Amino acid sequence: MITIKDLLAAVPATVHAAIDEDTLEYLTGVVEAADASDPTALRDAAEPFLTDAGMSDAELEAMFAKLSVTSDTGTAAAAASKGPVLLPSTSRPQPLPAPVAAAPAPARPATATTVATQKQQQQQQQGEPSKPARASRVEPPIVQAYSQQSRFHNETITTLSKDVDLKTVNVVIGESELLVDARLWLKAGQHYGMVGRNGVGKSTLLSVIGNKTLVGFPENIRTLYVQQLDVVDTSASVIDTVLAANTERQKRVDDVQMIERALQSPDALREALERYIARIGNERIFLAQKIATLRSGRRGKSARAVALKAEQSMLSEIRDALYANGKADGEVAAEVLATLYAELDSMDAHSAEARARAILSDLDIDERVQSGPVKVLSGGWRMRVALAQAMFVKPDILLLDECTNHLDLAAIAWLQDYLVALEGVTIVCVSHDRDFLNAVSQEIIRVKDKQLTYHPGNYDEYEQTEDELRRKKERQFASLERRREHVKKSIDNFMKHARSTNDSKVLGQVASRKKKLDRLAGIDKNEDGTRFKVSYWAGFHDTLRPELKLERAEKDVDFSIPQPELLRNAGPLVSLTGVTFAYGNSRLSNSSVVLDNISMSIMMGDHIALLGLNGCGKSTLVNIIKGELAPTKGGVEQQARLRIGHYTQHFVDELSDVDASGLSMLMEGNPGTKEGDARKWLGSFELSGPLATRPIYTLSGGQRARMAMALMLFANPHILLLDEVTNHLDMYAVQGLIAAINEYEGTVIIVSHDRHFVRQTADDCYSLQGGKLTLLEEGVDEYVGTIAADF
């Protein structure tokens, strides 16, 4: 066992002399409390103080090697598996040790692992079956998010302003850097649209903000994060779901219910009190760890001492305080309940349900639906529940990640009008729907090259401004090159003249021209057209002027849709004659009829869009065209050798649970395919290199969407049935898909609520309402006008 004498004997003499009495006393306590079987705990606790005393990394390694203490490799691995990742301001941190408790840990920095665990626990509490974890699945990487910190700490913990302005924001997932020294700047009440290619980290950034795991984010700013793949999907009632959005209130309500249920059983009461103690203790330990991470110098050393003491004794201190003077469990329970009741009263919790029901009523959700489960609602009504959560919590920042996915056009129109009229709340919205983003956004945040840039206006204005700026820079660059070529030629002419005449005066002119050439190496005008002044260019630089950098236009994803083979028969590919479909038995009733006497001929080259509310029968009609459903009445004819590719709106969600790689799925589904050909095919969908061989569940939503497209199109179909194909795709992928569809000579049947996508790809638009299929002469805009008047 290591003693304090052993530790001090291994410390260099100069460092030993620099250790003050407080540090010596603390180190003595650390050594006495350390577990001899776990020397890494001693190193974790002592290393920060020895570093402050002046020990170098090499000296630390030598000292701990002498004491036979394990290296940082084992420490980092052990710490990463135990607890939250807290990040200092100066360097990439190692995870701090998590508090040890007899009960589940409290809310903590949400990594990719902890989010899944929390969701699974919520499902179990709400009576939902959770999917069993598979041993073969690789653990998701840990997400680390941190920003520049003030050494005075309080400046970054709380703020009187609702603005967010964080310098040098870094977001790392596993070994991949998503943001590096970026600036997160959110002005209070502003509505932002966030754009960027799939996989650049948009959803990850929103999650670390919404889950409060971005170190340095102001604690007093309330956030609510609505995720793209989980818009309130639970078996809990609507009213309970809204009430649970206030997590601080919900924790206390859960504690009260847990203790009250256990009052009749001594064993259950003791367990309930231990769980309460664990929650309070872990919250205090986590706060101490966070403060220790943010502080530096002497204040940091003191804070780390407090954090270590909290880890070692916080739970026992709380337990001793509650059970002081030999109190029994019943007395402790009474005091705890009184404390919880007082805290709930201070939160105005007694009126919480009334406020929640009033908010739901304002959103046209009646009392019957409020008492029913959320999971039976359609996507549009679930989004209303999510917005009710936001209104109930009253967040300062509302984070919406692909909030229009699975919503019909009526629900999108309602949500759009609601967000546009919402005042006093900062909104950050990620969406692939161009029309929606144009209506909602007042400023665009672009995520590119691990940086965040800010552009005033909506998405169309952003594109126009960026295009004009790019063209202006191209003209400026061309002009600069012409002037440089002219100066170079004059220098060559002067040099020839000097060599032929031995005129030394000409050499002075050559030197002057070379200086001018150096000045022409960078910009001579600013972006606003004013003259560039070197005196305003602060700092040290290798050139006389800033280099003129040309930004290339964002390249759309180049989807490869192979042209279909010609069929022998030139007639319709699919013919529907008097098709009627009803669920249930063969006896038709008005309430069960989904499709009513529909007739249509689908020819080669048709580009058709089916529009309608969720549940009106669009997917049913698509499945009848495909041949997967037989009509209750009427007939369907398909040409022989017809191949149909079907992209369903839930395809991406299904792929999120697949362990296999896209390359293996493609080769197994198409025997005889060479690996090189398969890789080339996936590469045409921007799924080359490691993306082709990674497990599909580790890909982002947009990458899985492109993978689904690649798997579907490999069979070279004659008809493409695309059901909500733009969900999860970024703007550039949508534009690439539009171009590919317009060049495709086969038949395309589109079911989509993306107005811009339908407008750009469909030649004929049909409205499905009340089982009847109606051709819209004015296209999608006619349908939008109709539902705006009715909804």
Side-chain angles (χ1 to χ4, degrees):
M1 181 175 179
I2 301 172
T3 65
I4 186 63
K5 291 183 178 179
D6 297 331
L7 182 64
L8 294 177
V11 172
T14 55
V15 176
H16 192 173
I19 298 177
D20 55 27
E21 293 183 1
D22 292 338
T23 302
L24 182 60
E25 181 180 354
Y26 170 75
L27 289 175
T28 303
V30 167
V31 173
E32 292 176 353
D35 184 358
S37 63
D38 185 15
T40 57
L42 173 62
R43 176 164 189 168
D44 287 340
E47 187 169 340
F49 295 90
L50 297 174
T51 301
D52 289 342
M55 286 191 70
S56 65
D57 292 341
E59 290 173 333
L60 285 169
E61 287 293 339
M63 185 194 74
F64 285 115
K66 185 184 298 183
L67 295 174
S68 300
V69 178
T70 55
S71 66
D72 277 337
T73 305
T75 303
S81 65
K82 290 181 180 179
V85 181
L86 299 178
L87 308 164
S89 59
T90 55
S91 62
R92 186 78 48 79
Q94 297 294 334
L96 291 179
V100 179
R108 59 178 182 163
T111 65
T113 306
T114 59
V115 168
T117 304
Q118 291 168 0
K119 183 175 178 181
Q120 189 175 27
Q121 290 173 349
Q122 287 177 352
Q123 290 175 338
Q124 293 171 350
Q125 292 171 358
Q126 296 164 355
E128 296 182 29
S130 59
K131 296 180 181 179
R134 281 173 279 185
S136 61
R137 176 161 291 191
V138 179
E139 284 297 320
I142 292 177
V143 178
Q144 299 179 349
Y146 54 99
S147 61
Q148 177 182 342
Q149 298 300 299
S150 164
R151 65 178 298 174
F152 299 104
H153 168 61
N154 284 337
E155 295 179 13
T156 52
I157 288 292
T158 59
T159 173
L160 295 177
S161 173
K162 299 300 182 183
D163 291 350
V164 176
D165 191 3
L166 298 182
K167 308 295 193 302
T168 61
V169 172
N170 292 265
V171 178
V172 182
I173 178 168
E175 298 297 326
S176 301
E177 294 178 327
L178 301 181
L179 291 180
V180 177
D181 294 341
R183 182 187 185 187
L184 179 61
W185 186 22
L186 303 177
K187 290 167 280 190
Q190 191 82 344
H191 294 183
Y192 295 91
M194 183 176 287
V195 300
R197 289 191 176 276
N198 290 131
V200 297
K202 302 187 296 296
S203 296
T204 303
L205 177 59
L206 292 190
S207 69
V208 298
I209 296 173
N211 297 325
K212 290 294 186 73
T213 57
L214 174 57
V215 176
F217 194 86
E219 292 290 328
N220 62 302
I221 293 183
R222 300 184 302 274
T223 62
L224 183 67
Y225 175 42
V226 181
Q227 303 179 56
Q228 61 172 315
L229 296 178
D230 187 20
V231 181
V232 194
D233 185 9
T234 173
S235 60
S237 67
V238 171
I239 184 65
D240 288 341
T241 301
V242 175
L243 291 173
N246 188 337
T247 55
E248 292 300 319
R249 171 195 170 277
Q250 192 62 37
K251 283 189 293 188
R252 288 158 177 80
V253 169
D254 291 342
D255 286 342
V256 168
Q257 294 175 348
M258 175 180 62
I259 295 174
E260 288 180 342
R261 284 195 302 266
L263 288 175
Q264 304 303 320
S265 171
D267 292 339
L269 182 59
R270 171 54 67 92
E271 182 181 354
L273 291 173
E274 286 297 323
R275 291 177 67 86
Y276 169 77
I277 292 171
R279 179 180 74 80
I280 298 298
N282 279 306
E283 288 179 352
R284 294 179 183 177
I285 292 170
F286 178 70
L287 179 60
Q289 290 177 338
K290 195 166 189 177
I291 293 174
T293 302
L294 295 173
R295 291 185 175 177
S296 60
R298 180 173 292 276
R299 298 173 76 248
K301 182 170 70 173
S302 176
R304 287 194 290 273
V306 172
L308 184 63
K309 181 179 179 182
E311 293 169 18
Q312 295 172 344
S313 60
M314 180 62 71
L315 298 180
S316 61
E317 288 180 3
I318 296 174
R319 191 177 294 108
D320 292 343
L322 290 175
Y323 285 91
N325 301 322
K327 294 177 184 177
D329 287 344
E331 295 176 281
V332 173
E335 292 183 359
V336 169
L337 287 174
T339 301
L340 291 171
Y341 291 147
E343 291 175 349
L344 289 172
D345 286 340
S346 66
M347 296 178 178
D348 199 20
H350 62 280
S351 64
E353 183 171 346
R355 288 191 293 109
R357 288 191 180 275
I359 292 170
L360 289 169
S361 297
D362 290 341
L363 295 175
D364 295 329
I365 301 177
D366 58 36
E367 291 188 7
R368 180 184 59 83
V369 177
Q370 292 176 21
S371 301
V374 175
K375 65 181 181 181
V376 302
L377 301 179
S378 65
W381 289 101
R382 290 186 190 182
M383 180 53 64
R384 294 197 184 203
V385 175
L387 291 173
Q389 289 181 311
M391 297 168 68
F392 179 71
V393 176
K394 297 179 182 178
D396 300 305
I397 300 177
L398 179 60
L399 307 165
L400 302 173
D401 192 357
E402 293 292 0
C403 55
T404 60
N405 281 1
H406 310 303
L407 300 187
D408 55 35
L409 277 173
I412 292 174
W414 177 89
L415 176 61
Q416 176 178 302
D417 293 341
Y418 176 84
L419 294 178
V420 169
L422 190 61
E423 297 180 354
V425 177
T426 305
I427 297 175
V428 182
C429 177
V430 174
S431 177
H432 67 273
D433 190 326
R434 179 186 290 259
D435 287 9
F436 178 81
L437 207 59
N438 280 333
V440 171
S441 303
Q442 299 169 337
E443 192 168 338
I444 295 297
I445 303 175
R446 182 178 66 172
V447 186
K448 183 182 179 184
D449 297 332
K450 303 177 183 179
Q451 295 293 316
L452 302 175
T453 55
Y454 301 84
H455 310 268
N458 61 24
Y459 185 76
D460 281 348
E461 292 169 340
Y462 152 73
E463 275 199 328
Q464 181 180 356
T465 302
E466 286 297 292
D467 184 62
E468 291 175 355
L469 181 60
R470 184 171 55 255
R471 293 176 184 275
K472 182 179 178 180
K473 284 187 175 181
E474 288 174 353
R475 292 193 298 269
Q476 188 177 1
F477 182 80
S479 173
L480 198 62
E481 285 298 304
R482 286 196 299 269
R483 293 169 62 187
R484 285 175 57 83
E485 287 298 322
H486 176 72
V487 174
K488 285 180 180 179
K489 287 182 180 179
S490 65
I491 291 175
D492 292 340
N493 292 334
F494 278 125
M495 290 298 294
K496 290 179 181 178
H497 179 73
R499 286 193 292 269
S500 61
T501 62
N502 293 324
D503 188 354
S504 60
K505 295 181 180 180
V506 177
L507 296 178
Q509 292 177 312
V510 170
S512 175
R513 292 300 176 96
K514 286 184 177 180
K515 288 183 179 179
K516 183 177 182 180
L517 187 62
D518 291 337
R519 290 196 298 271
L520 292 176
I523 63 174
D524 57 352
K525 289 185 178 181
N526 298 313
E527 290 185 0
D528 58 1
T530 59
R531 182 180 178 183
F532 174 79
K533 295 184 178 180
V534 178
S535 58
Y536 291 175
W537 193 27
F540 298 94
H541 309 283
D542 295 330
T543 58
L544 294 178
R545 293 171 182 267
E547 182 182 356
L548 181 60
K549 296 181 180 179
L550 294 179
E551 290 191 14
R552 295 183 178 180
E554 288 280 5
K555 184 181 178 182
D556 296 332
V557 177
D558 185 14
F559 284 100
S560 297
I561 302 181
Q563 299 299 338
E565 299 175 355
L566 294 177
L567 297 173
R568 295 180 180 178
N569 192 343
L573 302 183
V574 180
S575 296
L576 279 65
T577 306
V579 167
T580 299
F581 185 87
Y583 288 101
N585 55 34
S586 59
R587 296 181 180 179
L588 300 179
S589 64
N590 292 333
S591 60
S592 64
V593 172
V594 179
L595 306 176
D596 186 10
N597 194 27
I598 292 177
S599 298
M600 66 184 305
S601 296
I602 302 174
M603 306 295 293
M604 177 70 83
D606 284 350
H607 286 193
I608 299 169
L610 301 178
L611 307 175
L613 301 179
N614 285 343
C616 71
K618 301 187 298 296
S619 297
T620 301
L621 179 57
V622 166
N623 285 325
I624 288 176
I625 293 172
K626 186 181 179 182
E628 288 191 350
L629 283 179
T632 307
K633 183 180 178 182
V636 179
E637 294 182 1
Q638 291 185 357
Q639 280 206 33
R641 302 177 63 185
L642 179 68
R643 291 191 298 273
I644 299 177
H646 188 192
Y647 181 103
T648 70
Q649 59 180 318
H650 302 294
F651 206 166
V652 175
D653 300 342
E654 293 169 1
L655 286 178
S656 65
D657 210 30
V658 174
D659 290 319
S661 68
L663 181 64
S664 63
M665 281 192 67
L666 182 62
M667 296 181 67
E668 290 173 6
N670 301 274
T673 303
K674 296 181 180 179
E675 182 176 339
D677 295 336
R679 285 183 176 275
K680 183 178 179 181
W681 176 257
L682 293 176
S684 66
F685 292 84
E686 293 194 353
L687 296 169
S688 57
L691 293 179
T693 55
R694 278 171 48 182
I696 293 180
Y697 78 88
T698 64
L699 302 178
S700 69
Q703 290 165 345
R704 289 199 298 270
R706 296 202 300 270
M707 183 66 72
M709 288 286 294
L711 296 175
M712 178 198 70
L713 294 173
F714 193 75
N716 194 10
H718 300 92
I719 298 179
L720 301 181
L721 304 177
L722 306 180
D723 191 352
E724 297 296 354
V725 68
T726 60
N727 283 0
H728 311 296
L729 295 181
D730 58 45
M731 291 290 192
Y732 311 106
V734 172
Q735 285 300 119
L737 182 58
I738 289 173
I741 289 176
N742 289 334
E743 294 177 0
Y744 181 59
E745 297 175 1
T747 300
V748 183
I749 299 178
I750 299 166
V751 177
S752 177
H753 300 126
D754 187 332
R755 290 157 286 182
H756 175 75
F757 179 73
V758 172
R759 200 179 292 123
Q760 296 293 320
T761 55
D763 297 326
D764 297 311
C765 294
Y766 289 86
S767 170
L768 185 58
Q769 185 175 7
K772 300 292 186 180
L773 194 65
T774 306
L775 178 64
L776 301 172
E777 298 294 341
E778 302 296 329
V780 65
D781 294 323
E782 178 183 345
Y783 177 75
V784 171
T786 302
I787 62 172
D790 295 341
F791 197 74

